[in-house]
Amino acid sequence: MSDKPASPASPEKNENSNPASDFIREAVAADLASGKTKEVRTRFPPEPNGWLHIGHTKAFLIDFGVAADFGGKCNLRFDDTNPEKEDMSYVEAIKRDIAWLGCDWEDREFYASDYYERLYELAVKLIRKGVAYVDDLSAEQMSEYRGTAVADKSNITVTPPGRNSPWRDRSVEENLDLFARMRAGEFPDGSKTLRAKIDMAHPNLLMRDPPMYRIRREPHYRTGTTWCIYPMYDFQHPLSDAIEGVTHSLCSLEYEIHRPLYDWFIREAEVFPSRQIEFARLSITHFVLSKRWLLRLVQEGRVAGWDDPRMPTLSGLRRRGYSPEAIRDFISRIGVAKTDSMVDVQFLEHCLREDLNKRANRVMAVLRPLKLVVENWPAGKVEQLEAVNNPEDPAAGTRKVPFSGTLYIERDDFMETPPPKYFRLFPGNSVRLRYGYIVTCTGFSKDPASGEVTEVRCSYDPATRGGDAPDNRKVKGTIHWVDAPSAVKLEARLYDHLFEAERPMDVPEGKDWVETINPKSLETVAGALGEPGLAAAKPGDRFQFERLGYFCADNDSAPGALVFNRTVSLRDTWAKIEKKGG
Ligand code: ATP
Ligand code: MG
């Protein structure tokens, strides 16, 4: 277990503040105005024990954003003091993701593990001042002595005072000696702990003589076996901030109850007066935003890795087809609030669609192909039809799509016996083929054994090229298609939420949360076909497949074996909710 605060499982709904002038920027502006702060310095302090998720993105966009707004700088500091869980591969992944969002820490890449010696000296300073001591109680005894919060008769939470450790009043000399010997490796793991001497009756349990150092013989990914004692988060974090001259240490709300301790260590160590300010954690419906949970999904192989396109990690969202601009826009629109809130995933998808609508070129692809033969098409003739790449962006130009009279359409776009209000193909009905002609269904064939439709036939009207009927005939439906001889094969991966529950972290009683994974969160469509231009798509290229959604070429995609992830469908449920004023 990490010694850091656990993420709250289910924040409450609330109104978000106006992002234009949030309370953090107001506080920073006030510190500058009073002269307390000369130059703004913030930091983003990820622990390299997992990949970043979209919740961390909110944090680092605030950290980098606040610094930039006040002409300051933001450090990237790896808070790496839990050797058993940390790794260089996480450091690399974290840096890649922050850079992808366009944040630049320049040469300010720091590691708490580089401060071990300095932190050790500060601990010695606290021992000398008589405000830290070596305790021989075991971890269990310590927590028992500390006491717990209980509900009294009127169901109000109270915290009866804890008990002092019998080792609390060791002399400064003895403490200095024991601490040096802890470092030297004379004692077994867990047998001694350096604690701050604060107040065992403090109403905030965290203030009841919190541990500062534990003995842990675990090689560290950067310091190797140099150390067998490691600093605890609550001691390390404020002092690392101070060492770096961080003026404003911005973090999510679960650290609020740690603030008295943060201030205590800064004051007692007599170091640079960094100031902690908390903001609401980001939570999104259907998303799990906790590294611990995400790690389990990866370790147990329940997803294809940290960058599985269903993961809420930045690498997963990137692979899925999210643009950094869409994520930035989302974060800036939800604003910075002081109370936790739950954001509807449909709002995230709304921001995504708005962005992709501007940047993604349109192409035609068919997920479940059904052959369509234009019976009166001149044999051997191939026409090049002109198609607009992006109606939102005239600079994107046009392209030619071949049309040979043998096509594939979407299986759904034909019905033998149509229901009411079905405007696509059925015997006798006419539709417009996108960028092409108006065609009328003349017949179809079926597999006698399975009853499945195997081919649809139609005739075309040469006077309707481009889709307009000269006689203003009413044709309600327009369908997409691909030309059969030139079509390229592709695999389409269609996604649904990884968790069907709106709040997957509220696990039903008696259930293991991994059992709540949506078994239909990935549907692989192997036999899809696309227009010939898609053959050149490279991993990361984004398109709108007309009528089907936004798609992005996957990392697995290669010439001849194209793979596309559906980033998001076209239907914007959020826009509808907004219109209704809901
Ligand atoms: P998790 O809670 O997912 O296990 P963590 O908080 O333990 O993550 P850190 O690497 O310590 O992970 O996070 C770095 C910073 O990101 C912290 O300052 C924390 O406040 C912030 N942060 C983490 N999750 C969120 C979130 N959902 N919303 C906003 N900020 C977050
Ligand atoms: Mg956390």
Side-chain angles (χ1 to χ4, degrees), residues 44-215:
F44 176 60
E47 184 180 358
N49 62 352
W51 295 30
L52 297 182
H53 55 61
I54 190 165
H56 296 116
T57 312
K58 172 176 180 183
F60 74 72
L61 288 178
I62 291 175
D63 296 330
F64 281 92
V66 166
D69 287 356
F70 293 95
K73 302 274 187 198
C74 178
N75 297 349
L76 172 59
R77 178 175 77 241
F78 292 95
D79 256 358
D80 52 355
T81 52
N82 280 311
E84 56 271 32
K85 293 184 183 168
E86 296 161 0
D87 192 84
M88 206 59 201
S89 69
Y90 293 134
V91 168
E92 296 306 330
I94 289 169
K95 283 161 57 174
R96 194 167 57 233
D97 289 343
I98 298 174
W100 181 59
L101 261 274
C103 296
D104 187 1
W105 56 92
E106 296 163 23
D107 57 348
R108 290 179 311 283
E109 177 179 331
F110 302 123
Y111 294 80
S113 53
D114 283 345
Y115 307 147
Y116 281 171
E117 194 61 50
R118 181 89 183 97
L119 292 169
Y120 181 86
E121 287 164 15
L122 289 170
V124 168
K125 180 175 182 178
L126 298 193
I127 296 175
R128 286 220 165 89
K129 288 179 73 172
V131 293
Y133 65 99
V134 173
D135 197 352
D136 292 4
L137 293 184
S138 68
E140 296 74 48
Q141 287 171 316
M142 262 191 269
S143 79
E144 189 206 317
Y145 277 55
R146 189 183 298 125
T148 46
V150 291
D152 73 0
K153 279 192 201 122
S154 2
N155 218 12
I156 292 169
T157 308
V158 290
T159 43
R163 274 185 294 149
N164 287 352
S165 162
W167 314 102
R168 198 173 197 258
D169 294 318
R170 278 175 160 151
S171 69
V172 167
E173 287 64 38
E174 191 183 1
N175 282 322
L176 286 172
D177 174 61
L178 287 173
F179 188 48
R181 289 164 62 195
M182 276 171 67
R183 176 180 182 167
E186 285 188 30
F187 308 115
D189 284 14
S191 62
K192 291 197 184 334
T193 309
L194 183 72
R195 298 178 75 175
K197 195 172 185 174
I198 307 180
D199 179 1
M200 289 304 287
H202 201 286
N204 182 341
L205 291 174
L206 292 172
M207 296 294 277
R208 296 187 178 178
D209 292 12
M212 293 163 55
Y213 272 89
R214 60 194 173 140
I215 308 176

Side-chain angles (χ1 to χ4, degrees), residues 353-372:
R353 287 189 186 95
E354 274 192 359
D355 184 66
L356 294 179
N357 184 38
K358 285 180 266 167
R359 72 176 63 247
N361 280 352
R362 277 57 169 167
V363 293
M364 290 195 290
V366 168
L367 293 183
R368 295 171 186 85
L370 173 62
K371 197 171 195 185
L372 177 72

Side-chain angles (χ1 to χ4, degrees), residues 503-513 515-516:
R503 294 163 177 253
M505 295 181 80
D506 294 350
V507 186
E509 192 81 39
K511 261 214 167 166
D512 184 354
W513 63 269
E515 294 165 30
T516 68

Side-chain angles (χ1 to χ4, degrees), residues 7-14 16 53-59 252-254 279-290 312 330-331 334-335 337 339-348 502-506:
S7 330
S10 58
E12 294 308 309
K13 265 197 190 327
N14 82 301
N16 276 309
H53 55 61
I54 190 165
H56 296 116
T57 312
K58 172 176 180 183
S252 44
L253 212 57
E254 72 270 25
F279 53 83
R281 267 182 85 81
L282 173 61
S283 301
I284 302 177
T285 57
H286 300 285
F287 275 33
V288 156
L289 298 182
S290 156
F330 166 72
I331 298 288
I334 57 170
T339 20
D340 283 330
S341 65
M342 178 70 79
V343 179
D344 194 322
V345 69
Q346 292 173 9
F347 181 61
L348 171 64
E502 240 183 48
R503 294 163 177 253
M505 295 181 80
D506 294 350

